[in-house]
């Protein structure tokens, strides 16, 4: 027996000598693979793929250490970072996207990004930066988008943007700029200078940007536009001059010609009568026009013919007089060619019958228009009655003048009218109206008064000069009898059908059985000072209706709510982060699809049915931490199996060459593995048999049982669309 043990040990040593040249590179390969798989993301970060690192609310004053050199997208917003250095980004020569928004940066060190030659997008918005130096962006020759909005920038060095010849977007809104350097950016397409109260309007020499398409100058205190500037921007399509001091439509807009497709004049003190049709007649190419908050009371009917390509008209926050001259607007909107923006905020102000009503829903009969009657055809020998002069209202200062009323049509021709051969072809005058006096006899035809023109029980009648006036009852006075000493309680308002809930700022684009994709683009665009979004959602179909709150950066154009229950209705609201609860919110409802998600794995007994987003993120970190370790252990076990199988095969082969004829049999030994033999006969290494555990999607919410080794897991949102782009 001792001799048998010696022979076995000697054979094993000989086999080891034979396998030594193969084992060394094999073990080195497995060690390198295990090291690569166990390289985790930085602490408190998430790595949905090999090229992206996502660090949100990490609460650290510096950039994380040990960033992989293959990183292309690095998101470090809301981390509390207060300082930068050039060495923070050493070795990241492939980085294309860097998001440092919503941190505590007070300055940009010279050459801080010089080691990032491939950088295309740099977001430094919502920090505490006070100035931009000459070398702040040196070395960024490929930079395309630079976001500096919502900082405290007061000055920019004249050569700060020198060398950025490929820059497409530059956002400087929401700062404290006192001056703007000459921008020589030949590729620039978007420039936002809004809400810099001390910044003078740019001149043609300041913007040497021949390809500029979008210029935003809201809230700069502009009272006039520079016509030479607009002439120099021959490629301009979108112009925002809202919230300025324009008291009329600038004549310089004619210099933009037919190139403008989007124009916002909202929030300027234009007042009545508002923009005149002749001021906008050169802008026939407009697709969207914003006239909100101009304090205008009506819109001329000529607007329907001015803009043949118009698709969206916004006229919210105006005190409209819903009288006959405005009756054309709801009918025009119902034709469907033009959409009214912010319809719930476009309401009637006068008369009291229509006050508070949504303008687009007012019926034509409620505008008080006179009935239309076809005029009789003139016959030979007949004379035409004289036209009634237009009625003129005398309006005291401080009151709203009503529009001029059209002259009444001539009376219809009675059936027993005299023949054409008679000398007098005029029909007999109709009986006088009981509410009119002597002046009615001067103008043949019926007495026509718009309904509800006189208030508080007043009676409409003709005055001495042929104008309409109101005969007021006792205790009332004024042009429309609108003044009284004690106002009686108003009559109960007519019950209008409840308005349809509309959420123009918030919508859902895609719904599955467990997720809802929210569209936040319009919500973000209409709130320029938005620093974050508070999302609140709750299940309206289940017993647990407690709301769930999320904090979302203002840079998300889309956000996906995951871990929802199938076939349930959810109420979703979005509001500004940090504001008062319920202020400036936009809400919508969405229903998840029926049945389970086709890609979802079966639920594990006892799993949480509705995890919170924090639990989803924690589970994602656990899987990210355990998967590399398990993968390394599997590789080591596989290596040992290969070595043992190889040694066994060599010993078996040597035994077949011995003198004993029974050892030459082709039948495999009981302990021989079929997978190893088949793999060696084919010249390939054996493979691990596939596991029988069912596949599962990427577990972010902790609801499903999944293998520890898994493929790429997407994050809660598509990181490629985290930052809105002009394209």
């Amino acid at each position: 027996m001792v001799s048998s043990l010696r022979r076995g040990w000697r054979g094993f040593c000989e086999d080891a000598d034979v396998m030594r040249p193969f084992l060394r590179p094999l073990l080195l390969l497995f060690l390198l693979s295990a090291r690569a798989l166990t390289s985790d993301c930085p602490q408190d970060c998430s790595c949905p793929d090999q090229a992206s690192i996502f660090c949100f609310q990490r609460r650290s004053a510096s950039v994380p250490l040990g960033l992989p050199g293959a990183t292309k997208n690095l998101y470090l917003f809301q981390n509390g970072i207060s300082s930068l250095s050039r060495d923070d980004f050493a070795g990241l020569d492939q980085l294309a996207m860097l998001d440092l928004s919503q941190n505590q940066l007070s300055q940009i060190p010279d050459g801080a990004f010089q080691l990032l030659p491939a950088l295309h997008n740099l977001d430094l918005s919502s920090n505490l930066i006070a100035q931009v130096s000459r070398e702040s962006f040196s070395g960024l020759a490929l930079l395309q988008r630079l976001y500096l909005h919502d900082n405290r920038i007061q000055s920019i060095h004249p050569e700060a943007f020198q060398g950025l010849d490929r820059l497409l977007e530059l956002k400087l809104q929401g700062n404290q700029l006192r001056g703007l350097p000459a921008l020589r950016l030949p590729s620039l397409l978007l420039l936002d200078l809004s809400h810099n109260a001390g910044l003078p309007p740019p001149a043609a020499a300041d913007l040497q940007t021949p390809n500029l398409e979008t210029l935003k100058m809201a809230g700069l205190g502009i009272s006039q536009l520079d016509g030479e500037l607009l002439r120099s921007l021959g490629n301009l399509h979108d112009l925002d001059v809202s919230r300025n001091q324009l008291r009329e439509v600038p004549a310089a807009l004619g210099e933009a010609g037919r190139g403008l497709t989007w124009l916002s004049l909202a929030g300027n003190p234009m007042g009545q009568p508002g923009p005149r049709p002749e001021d906008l007649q050169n802008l026939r190419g407009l697709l969207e026009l914003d006239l909100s908050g101009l304090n205008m009371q009506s819109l001329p009917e000529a607007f329907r013919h001015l803009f043949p390509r118009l698709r969206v008209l916004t006229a919210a926050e105006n005190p409209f007089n819903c009288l006959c001259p405005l009756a054309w607007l709801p009918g025009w909107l119902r034709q469907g060619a033009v959409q009214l923006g912010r319809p719930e905020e476009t309401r009637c102000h006068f008369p009291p019958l229509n006050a508070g009503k949504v303008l687009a829903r007012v019926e034509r009969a409620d505008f008080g228009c006179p009935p239309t009657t076809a005029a009789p055809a003139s016959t030979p020998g007949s004379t035409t009655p004289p036209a009634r002069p237009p009625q003129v209202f005398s309006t005291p200062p401080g009151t709203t003048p009503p529009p001029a009323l059209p002259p009444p049509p001539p009376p219809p021709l009675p059936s027993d009218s005299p023949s054409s051969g008679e000398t007098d072809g005029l029909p007999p005058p109709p009986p006088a109206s009981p509410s009119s006096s002597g002046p009615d006899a001067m103008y043949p035809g019926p007495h026509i008064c718009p309904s509800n023109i006189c208030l508080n029980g007043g009676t409409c009648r003709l005055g001495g000069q042929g104008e309409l006036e109101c005969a007021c009852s006792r205790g009332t006075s004024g042009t429309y009898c609108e003044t009284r000493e004690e106002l009686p309680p108003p009559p109960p308002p007519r019950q209008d059908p409840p308005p349809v809930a509309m959420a123009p700022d918030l919508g859902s684009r895609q719904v599955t059985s467990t997720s809802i994709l929210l569209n936040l683009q319009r919500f973000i665009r209409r709130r320029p000072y938005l620093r974050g979004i508070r999302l609140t959602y709750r299940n309206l179909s289940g017993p647990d209706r407690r709301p769930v709150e999320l904090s979302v950066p203002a840079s998300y154009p889309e956000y996906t709510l995951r871990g929802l229950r199938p076939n349930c209705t959810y109420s979703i609201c979005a509001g500004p982060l940090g504001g008062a609860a319920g202020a400036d919110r936009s809400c919508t409802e969405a229903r998840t699809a029926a049945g389970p998600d086709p890609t979802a794995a079966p639920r594990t007994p006892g799993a949480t049915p509705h995890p919170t987003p924090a639990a989803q993120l924690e589970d994602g970190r656990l899987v990210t931490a355990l998967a590399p370790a398990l993968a390394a252990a599997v590789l080591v076990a596989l290596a040992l199996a290969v070595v043992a199988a190889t040694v066994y095969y060599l010993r078996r082969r040597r035994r077949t060459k011995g003198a004993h004829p029974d050892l030459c049999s082709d039948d495999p030994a009981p302990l021989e593995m079929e997978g190893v033999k088949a793999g060696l006969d084919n010249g390939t290494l054996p493979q691990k048999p596939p596991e029988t555990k069912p596949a599962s999607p990427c577990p972010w919410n902790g609801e499903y049982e999944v293998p520890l080794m898994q493929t790429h897991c997407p994050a809660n949102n598509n990181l490629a669309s985290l930052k809105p782009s002009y394209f």
Side-chain angles (χ1 to χ4, degrees), residues 286-527:
L286 283 180
L287 298 176
E288 295 190 27
L289 177 62
D290 193 346
L291 301 177
S292 303
L294 299 186
N295 199 28
M296 58 183 182
Q297 301 170 1
S298 184
L299 275 176
E301 191 172 357
F303 265 70
R304 70 161 72 190
H305 307 294
L306 276 180
F307 313 111
R309 301 177 57 193
L310 193 64
R311 295 294 176 266
V312 179
L313 173 64
T314 305
E317 301 178 9
N318 283 297
F320 283 113
N321 285 349
C322 293
L323 296 174
C324 190
L326 196 59
W328 65 273
L329 183 57
W332 185 48
L333 296 175
R334 292 188 186 105
Q335 294 175 1
V338 177
Q339 177 185 356
L340 184 65
R342 299 166 62 187
E344 295 293 331
E345 303 173 55
T346 310
R347 297 178 179 264
C348 297
H349 180 72
F350 183 86
L353 176 65
N354 296 328
K357 292 183 180 179
V358 176
L359 177 57
R361 301 176 190 159
V362 180
E363 299 295 334
R364 181 176 178 84
D366 295 333
F367 282 93
C369 294
T372 57
T373 308
S378 59
T379 57
S382 64
T383 59
T384 304
R388 178 178 296 185
Q391 292 81 5
V392 180
F393 288 83
S394 58
T395 306
T399 60
T400 303
L405 296 174
L413 188 65
S415 58
D416 55 351
S417 59
S419 62
S420 59
E422 298 180 6
T423 57
D424 188 5
L426 291 177
S433 172
S435 62
S436 61
S437 56
D440 279 334
M442 299 171 55
Y443 308 101
H447 172 55
I448 300 175
C449 280
S451 61
N452 306 314
I453 192 66
C454 297
L455 308 178
N456 299 321
T459 305
C460 178
R461 69 182 183 182
L462 285 178
Q465 302 298 326
E467 77 278 2
L468 292 178
E469 63 181 14
C470 291
C472 300
S473 60
R474 186 176 181 179
T476 61
S477 61
T479 306
Y480 311 106
C481 307
E482 70 274 9
T483 304
R484 55 187 174 184
E485 297 179 359
E486 293 184 2
L487 297 177
R494 189 174 67 181
Q495 295 295 331
D496 292 335
V500 180
M502 302 181 68
D505 294 348
L506 186 65
S508 58
R509 292 183 50 190
Q510 182 179 355
V511 177
T512 66
S513 60
T514 58
S515 66
I516 297 175
L517 177 61
L518 298 179
N519 186 355
L520 303 174
Q521 294 182 4
R522 299 187 69 178
F523 183 85
I524 296 172
R525 185 180 66 182
R526 292 179 176 177
R527 294 160 177 82

Side-chain angles (χ1 to χ4, degrees), residues 554-594:
S555 55
Y556 275 11
E558 295 179 347
Y559 191 85
T560 303
L561 299 177
R562 298 183 183 274
L564 307 181
R565 299 183 66 87
N567 199 22
C568 292
T569 300
Y570 284 84
S571 174
I572 308 167
C573 294
L577 187 63
D584 194 17
R585 293 205 314 170
S586 182
C587 298
T588 186
E589 290 186 5
R591 186 174 183 86
T592 54

Side-chain angles (χ1 to χ4, degrees), residues 595-654:
D597 192 344
T599 61
R603 295 178 177 268
T604 304
T608 304
H610 191 84
T612 61
Q616 297 179 12
L617 182 59
E618 195 68 28
D619 291 342
R621 293 175 182 167
L622 180 60
V623 173
T624 307
L626 292 179
L630 184 60
V634 171
L635 289 177
V636 172
L638 184 61
L640 295 177
V642 170
V643 172
T646 306
V647 171
Y648 180 81
Y649 174 75
L650 293 177
R651 295 185 61 185
R652 178 73 179 181
R653 185 177 180 181
R654 185 161 45 250

Side-chain angles (χ1 to χ4, degrees), residues 13 47 50 58 60 136 152 157 160 174 179 185 191 200 223 281 309 323 361 399 442 546 554 570 624-625 658 684:
C13 294
C47 300
Q50 296 180 353
R58 195 173 55 92
S60 176
S136 294
R152 301 178 181 177
H157 192 275
L185 301 172
L191 176 62
S223 58
Q281 60 184 355
R309 301 177 57 193
L323 296 174
R361 301 176 190 159
T399 60
M442 299 171 55
R546 292 175 297 178
Y570 284 84
T624 307
T684 60

Side-chain angles (χ1 to χ4, degrees), residues 5 11 18 20 27 42 105 126 131-132 167 182 191 196 234 247 258 284 301 342 441 470 583 659 674 676 714 724:
L5 290 176
V18 173
R20 186 175 291 112
L27 291 176
L105 295 174
S126 301
Q131 63 179 358
V132 178
L167 195 64
L191 176 62
N196 285 276
R247 298 192 175 275
R258 299 177 181 272
R284 298 180 60 83
E301 191 172 357
R342 299 166 62 187
C470 291
E674 293 181 3
V676 174

